[in-house]
Amino acid sequence: MRLKDLLLALCVVIIWGINFVVIKVGLEGIPPFLLAALRFLLVAFPACLFIRRPAVPFKWLLVYGLTISFGQFAFLFLAIKLGMPAGLASLILQAQVFFTLLFGAFFLREKLHWYNFAGLLVAIIGMVFLAEQSLTPGVSDAMSLTSLLLTLAAALCWGLGNISSKIIMRDHPVPAMSLVVWSAFIPVVPFILCSLIFEGAGNVLYSLTHFSVTGIFSVVYLSLLSTIVGYGLWGALLGRYETSRVAPMALLVPVAGILSASFFLHETISPCQMLGIMVIIAGLLITTFAGRLKKLRPRH
């Protein structure tokens, strides 16, 4: 990966890491499905007036919108609303790396190398260290089984969305930003329906008429920075590189997420979790750079 693209990937990592803190704050005053609906509505409009619709079959817009947008954030927002700590959510969601690599091998026949498996194994060990404290009974910020499964479901949807993005960029090369903006229309209706059904029209009306400054900030951050900028850059990188080169970069998101949650929300980081952060970075380095080192090795 070129240095410029590596720096862009790191920018996405920071944006997405802080994203979990913003979600936690936003959900204090806005129900999860309504918050998601407002997020994608602001992504789609007014940007659609300035960005041309991508020349992509509607079925692929539908698949992309229902997986990486609706599925991922319906499960994630609900998990955080049910008590999943923001920092830990940023960690568990990175199971999308494993789902993406597996789906890439299954659907796209992309080859997985030994260093992919080695790096992911090291990263899994790091995730165990990170999750150890929150999984311990009696700890105040321990996650429930329900919130864990919801976050894993969000990760699976993200992985499917990555593959659909890869297929779209391969078969119908389009600007990543146009894909992000126009696919944002897809989840708006199901999110509104879910909000009306599960959260109630009264709660929806109250939230819309009692917007706080933090609520406005959350919607703007989630739509403009996290979605338009983040997924625009991420989709472009997936279009230029194999998923095995791009997806592991997201392993740094929980590092940014846990650190920002500790700073802004005062979620504690134990020595065991700090060790997990360092182990995850080691796994990322193995997965991302081992192949390059192998190519640079002199042949005899």
Side-chain angles (χ1 to χ4, degrees):
M1 187 179 293
R2 294 182 302 173
L3 178 60
K4 176 184 176 182
D5 290 333
L6 181 61
L7 293 176
L8 289 176
L10 290 177
C11 287
V12 176
V13 164
I14 294 173
I15 291 172
W16 283 347
I18 298 176
N19 174 68
F20 293 90
V21 173
V22 176
I23 292 173
K24 191 80 170 182
V25 172
L27 288 174
E28 292 178 358
I30 307 174
F33 294 130
L34 178 60
L35 178 60
L38 293 174
R39 168 186 186 163
F40 287 102
L41 183 60
L42 188 56
V43 170
F45 188 86
C48 65
L49 300 178
F50 307 98
I51 298 178
R52 182 178 300 179
R53 184 190 184 281
V56 174
F58 178 74
K59 67 177 182 179
W60 283 114
L61 278 180
L62 188 66
V63 170
Y64 183 82
L66 290 179
T67 53
I68 208 166
S69 299
F70 177 72
Q72 179 186 179
F73 292 103
F75 290 126
L76 177 62
F77 281 23
L78 188 57
I80 293 178
K81 182 66 175 180
L82 293 178
M84 171 67 73
L88 192 57
S90 69
L91 162 69
I92 302 300
L93 191 62
Q94 297 322 307
Q96 65 88 13
V97 172
F98 314 124
F99 288 125
T100 300
L101 293 178
L102 292 175
F103 291 149
F106 182 80
F107 292 111
L108 304 179
R109 300 295 187 265
E110 292 186 351
K111 185 178 180 180
L112 296 179
H113 304 280
W114 67 266
Y115 50 82
N116 296 130
F117 292 105
L120 291 177
L121 178 60
V122 172
I124 289 174
I125 295 173
M127 288 189 174
V128 171
F129 281 124
L130 274 175
E132 183 272 336
Q133 181 177 359
S134 293
L135 288 172
T136 301
V139 176
S140 60
D141 61 350
M143 62 182 175
S144 67
L145 178 60
T146 300
S147 62
L148 171 62
L149 293 177
L150 286 171
T151 309
L152 287 175
L156 186 145
C157 291
W158 187 358
L160 287 173
N162 283 338
I163 297 304
S164 66
S165 175
K166 181 73 175 179
I167 294 174
I168 291 171
M169 292 300 181
R170 182 193 65 188
D171 298 340
H172 311 278
V174 296
M177 193 62 67
S178 66
L179 177 63
V180 170
V181 168
W182 283 87
S183 67
F185 282 108
I186 302 298
V188 171
V189 172
F191 271 131
I192 291 176
L193 290 177
C194 286
S195 183
L196 291 173
I197 293 172
F198 297 107
E199 296 164 351
N203 286 332
V204 171
L205 181 60
Y206 180 85
S207 298
L208 292 176
T209 55
H210 292 77
F211 252 97
S212 64
V213 174
T214 55
I216 295 174
F217 170 78
S218 298
V219 173
V220 172
Y221 185 99
L222 293 174
S223 58
L224 299 184
L225 279 179
S226 181
T227 305
I228 292 182
V229 175
Y231 281 98
L233 293 175
W234 192 254
L237 292 172
L238 283 171
R240 289 197 289 269
Y241 300 97
E242 292 181 352
T243 53
S244 60
R245 301 286 298 278
V246 178
M249 293 297 298
L251 288 171
L252 283 175
V253 172
V255 178
I258 289 175
L259 291 177
S260 60
S262 175
F263 182 80
F264 293 108
L265 302 178
H266 307 293
E267 293 182 1
T268 58
I269 302 176
S270 69
C272 188
Q273 289 174 322
M274 286 301 299
L275 176 61
I277 290 175
M278 292 186 288
V279 174
I280 283 180
I281 293 175
L284 174 64
L285 293 175
I286 293 173
T287 306
T288 306
F289 298 111
R292 177 178 296 183
L293 293 176
K294 182 179 179 181
K295 291 179 180 179
L296 294 176
R297 184 182 303 169
R299 297 181 180 180
H300 299 286

